[in-house]
């Protein structure tokens, strides 16, 4: 069995000051599905040997600590009586650190495919619990429709206005890998400055754009180059992909 794992991009992203107790940030963001490119998850009954096997041929993920493996462990902990002799492969077409949510997407796609493989109906409460376990944007990938996402990524509501996705061009920059945790830490270092001086791109904006550029001068140069071609160039999420569009 296989499933496509799609991405998302953020048309606006507001980030609050870090909560010193739980170390999380509240956000307000508009998530849009991105289906021009995708990873693939393949799960099959393991007939070649008597153990669980994980494969990622491009060698861009830690073979133990990645969201696909986290999902498999979560699923097996919950369903301890199932046959664990399976073959799991992820085909990574989009590099890590793209800012398009593929890490969470891979996890949710694996979660859905495991339920299908074992013919287990997805429990809505468990899906919510699982999404919180994986990360702040995982909830979106359970639905993959335009959503307003708030709180710690756990509060969602459909975005009811029509959006012409075709007017947005996504430019992925594999040479600049942005680590989300590090970008948020940079944002926290100078919260007042970054939260007041974010750049507006028409009606859209991203609070994490300036801290990401401060950490990646080469990415800022790429922004300047693209800005000569498009009216607006904005970083998606914590980077490193750009959303490019022209005024209508």
């Amino acid at each position: 069995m296989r499933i496509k794992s799609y991405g998302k991009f953020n048309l606006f992203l507001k980030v609050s000051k870090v909560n010193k107790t739980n170390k999380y940030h509240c956000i307000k963001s508009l998530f849009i599905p991105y289906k021009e490119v995708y990873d693939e998850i393949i799960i099959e009954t393991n007939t070649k040997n008597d153990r669980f096997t994980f494969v990622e041929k491009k060698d861009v993920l830690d073979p133990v600590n990645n969201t696909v493996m986290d999902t498999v462990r979560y699923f097996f902990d919950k369903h301890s009586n199932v046959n664990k002799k399976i073959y799991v492969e992820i085909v990574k077409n989009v590099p890590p650190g793209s800012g398009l949510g593929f890490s969470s997407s891979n996890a949710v796609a694996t979660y859905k495919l495991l339920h299908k493989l074992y013919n287990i109906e997805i429990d809505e409460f468990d899906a919510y619990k699982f999404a919180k376990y994986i990360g702040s944007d995982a909830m979106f990938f359970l639905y993959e429709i335009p959503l307003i996402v708030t709180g710690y990524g756990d509060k969602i509501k459909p975005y009811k206005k029509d959006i012409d996705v075709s007017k947005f061009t996504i430019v992925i920059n594999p040479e600049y890998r942005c680590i989300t945790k590090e970008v948020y830490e940079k944002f926290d270092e100078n919260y007042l400055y970054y939260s007041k001086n974010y750049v507006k791109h028409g009606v859209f904006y991203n609070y994490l754009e300036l801290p990401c550029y401060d950490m990646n001068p080469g990415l800022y140069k790429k922004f300047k180059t693209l800005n000569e071609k498009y009216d607006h160039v904005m970083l998606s999420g914590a980077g490193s992909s750009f959303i490019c569009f022209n005024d209508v």
Side-chain angles (χ1 to χ4, degrees), residues 42-54:
I42 303 165
I43 304 180
E44 300 171 351
T45 302
N46 204 340
T47 58
K48 294 183 179 180
N49 57 49
D50 60 355
R51 61 187 179 85
F52 167 77
T53 304
F54 173 78

Side-chain angles (χ1 to χ4, degrees), residues 180-193:
T180 299
K181 181 176 181 292
E182 295 177 0
V183 176
Y184 271 95
E185 288 173 350
K186 182 69 174 178
F187 175 79
D188 292 336
E189 288 176 7
N190 206 345
Y191 167 77
L192 288 177
Y193 174 80

Side-chain angles (χ1 to χ4, degrees), residues 137-229:
D137 53 1
M139 190 75 68
F140 166 80
F141 291 105
L142 291 171
Y143 303 96
E144 294 186 304
I145 59 172
L147 292 175
I148 297 291
V149 180
T150 57
Y152 297 123
D154 57 336
K155 298 177 182 178
I156 58 175
K157 65 179 181 180
Y159 186 72
K160 297 182 179 181
K161 296 181 181 179
D162 291 333
I163 297 177
D164 183 4
V165 178
S166 65
K167 77 175 186 178
F168 301 104
T169 299
I170 306 300
V171 178
I172 300 172
N173 301 288
E175 67 272 30
Y176 302 106
R177 181 178 181 180
C178 297
I179 308 301
T180 299
K181 181 176 181 292
E182 295 177 0
V183 176
Y184 271 95
E185 288 173 350
K186 182 69 174 178
F187 175 79
D188 292 336
E189 288 176 7
N190 206 345
Y191 167 77
L192 288 177
Y193 174 80
Y194 289 131
S195 62
K196 290 182 179 179
N197 294 281
Y198 62 91
V199 180
K200 291 186 178 180
H201 306 271
V203 296
F204 306 127
Y205 58 88
N206 179 0
Y207 274 36
L208 298 180
E209 189 169 20
L210 291 183
C212 194
Y213 290 155
D214 286 345
M215 296 175 67
N216 298 275
L219 193 61
Y220 181 69
K221 290 181 180 178
K222 185 69 175 286
F223 158 77
K224 296 291 286 184
T225 300
L226 288 170
N227 215 28
E228 295 176 0
K229 181 179 179 182

